[in-house]
Amino acid sequence: MPTSRVPAAVTALLQILRAAPGLSEVRVVDGPEPTNVTDRDLILVGWQPGGEAAVAIAQDFAGAGARIRNEEFQIACYAESRRGDKDMAPARDRVFELLGAVEEALRASDAQPEAPTLLGTVLWAHLTAGNLQQVQSEGTLAGLAFTVSCQARI
């Protein structure tokens, strides 16, 4: 029996996002990425600027008998859109399009009924928080740190 569903859930989240139609032109990266100003759109799973944890985990017993545990965790993620001009609106609009594609990929659909369970690795997962960042440096950059929260039973 695994001590945590985190490794399988992160792997499944990466698989779902890499297969998402709305993210077909976006590079989805596992963990932190060295600065790469050539990518216009990017999603990082398991990393946020200034973040201290890739995944925050909490566990507790699910009931009497101490045989089953509940696990709650939050996967830190980051979406970024860069543009070569000084107009912030297109970068900001695009980063929210990326966030919308992530949220859509986590919803159940006929093609992906297991998406909200991260392909059966957790009981449920959903987008729960976000923080927009905007920067003017060699063009515009809009970044959106967001969290995918999960509930699992181990």
Side-chain angles (χ1 to χ4, degrees), residues 2 88 119:
M88 188 59 73
L119 307 178

Side-chain angles (χ1 to χ4, degrees), residues 21-121:
L23 299 174
S24 62
E25 303 292 320
V26 178
R27 193 156 64 93
V28 178
V29 179
D30 185 356
E33 173 77 352
T35 302
N36 182 349
V37 295
T38 60
D39 287 319
R40 288 180 60 112
D41 297 323
L42 182 67
I43 293 181
L44 305 172
V45 174
W47 185 84
Q48 291 178 344
E52 296 180 17
V55 181
I57 306 164
Q59 293 183 358
D60 202 355
F61 288 110
R67 294 176 185 255
I68 299 172
R69 293 176 63 77
N70 288 327
E71 181 177 45
E72 295 180 12
F73 55 93
Q74 294 78 40
I75 304 170
C77 300
Y78 180 70
E80 180 178 280
S81 185
R82 293 176 178 269
R83 299 293 177 260
D85 57 24
K86 300 218 181 273
D87 186 0
M88 188 59 73
R92 182 177 50 246
D93 292 347
R94 178 63 177 150
V95 81
F96 274 94
E97 287 175 15
L98 298 177
L99 185 68
V102 169
E103 200 277 331
E104 184 69 27
L106 293 176
R107 289 186 188 183
S109 66
D110 291 338
Q112 195 82 301
E114 295 292 317
T117 66
L118 296 181
L119 307 178
T121 63

